[in-house]
Amino acid sequence: MAGRRPPKHVVILCHPEEGSFNASVAERYCATVRTIGHEVVLRDLYAMGFDPVLRAREQPGRADFELSSDVAEELTLLSGASVFVLVYPIWFGAPPAMLKGYVERVLGAGFTHRNVRDRAFHPIAEGAHLLSFTSSGTTSQWLSEQGAMLSLRQVFDEYIKNAFSFASTDHVHFSAIVKGTRANYIRECLAEVEQKARTIASIAARDGWRSARVSVPAADDPSPHSG
């Protein structure tokens, strides 16, 4: 269709170090989809100084619910995205608190536990694809033995997919990422990022461009999000 905008990818990076492996993953992903001609929005949470703390009036379902200005800005930037990419290290078996706060304050803005339970329409995420790139200093085998990888995929990936009606979720993990990791291994990891970026970009292009919509579900439940 003439004039149709290219798919939009939102990359959400959560790592405190500017030159981290995670930052390299985000950069490679962004560069890859840009060469394809897709739109990319990078949100570097630490560089932004994103505040992960949910305020009382931000709790979904309150009669005095109020959308904070920083969250409203994020929702505008995220609108119309076909792909959401989360890039973060696994700390103590879970994502960094800042990323969890982003999910709660931004994706969860105005979305009550009733909305989650009923699979209500989500104006930002519904129909989009969720892709996660994670890293750890230890091995995948050790994380699996601790139950961390299974827990993360179920409690974070699958829950977010179902809660906000993403069309799909995928997860790529890079283990044994430490200071002094051999350059060849890092190159192999980044090549895998590029391959995955091309694959999801192809899926997004097949789906077609999603219309930009920004709204917050009605505060129809007086209880906070407890889902």
Side-chain angles (χ1 to χ4, degrees), residues 17-223:
E17 292 186 31
E18 184 177 348
S20 67
F21 169 78
N22 287 262
S24 296
V25 168
E27 290 168 5
R28 177 62 65 90
Y29 185 95
C30 291
T32 300
V33 296
R34 285 194 183 106
T35 61
I36 297 172
H38 289 195
E39 180 183 354
V40 184
V41 174
L42 173 63
R43 308 305 290 154
D44 184 338
L45 302 189
Y46 275 93
M48 292 160 48
F50 178 75
D51 182 359
V53 179
L54 184 76
R55 308 303 181 202
R57 287 195 174 184
E58 291 181 311
Q59 294 180 94
R62 288 178 61 109
D64 60 347
F65 172 78
E66 182 178 331
L67 192 64
S68 298
S69 59
D70 62 332
V71 172
E73 180 181 352
E74 289 301 308
L75 291 174
T76 298
L77 290 169
L78 269 52
S79 66
S82 296
V83 182
F84 287 76
V85 183
L86 307 181
V87 185
Y88 61 94
I90 296 177
W91 288 343
F92 300 101
M98 183 176 284
L99 181 58
K100 182 62 164 57
Y102 189 90
V103 171
E104 292 176 0
R105 294 191 65 220
V106 179
L107 291 181
F111 220 64
T112 68
H113 68 85
R114 179 180 295 170
N115 295 136
V116 172
R117 182 195 63 196
D118 296 342
R119 303 291 175 88
F121 167 76
H122 193 283
I124 300 297
E126 181 156 325
H129 300 277
L130 179 65
L131 173 61
S132 298
F133 291 105
T134 57
S135 66
S136 63
T138 189
T139 64
S140 295
Q141 180 179 348
W142 188 87
L143 286 173
S144 295
E145 290 172 353
Q146 309 309 308
M149 290 305 300
L150 178 61
S151 176
L152 183 64
R153 292 175 188 274
Q154 291 182 332
V155 178
F156 201 63
D157 298 359
E158 288 295 329
Y159 188 90
I160 290 175
K161 170 186 175 290
N162 295 329
F164 302 130
S165 300
F166 280 98
S168 69
T169 182
D170 195 3
H171 192 133
V172 178
H173 179 68
F174 301 109
S175 63
I177 301 295
V178 296
K179 297 292 185 183
T181 298
R182 60 187 178 86
N184 284 345
Y185 177 54
I186 298 299
R187 283 194 292 270
E188 291 170 5
C189 293
L190 296 180
E192 186 173 353
V193 171
E194 182 171 340
Q195 181 180 21
K196 183 63 69 172
R198 292 184 181 279
T199 299
I200 197 70
S202 177
I203 294 172
R206 180 199 64 196
D207 289 349
W209 177 68
R210 302 173 66 242
S211 298
R213 292 165 293 190
V214 181
S215 61
V216 176
D220 58 354
D221 192 329
S223 61

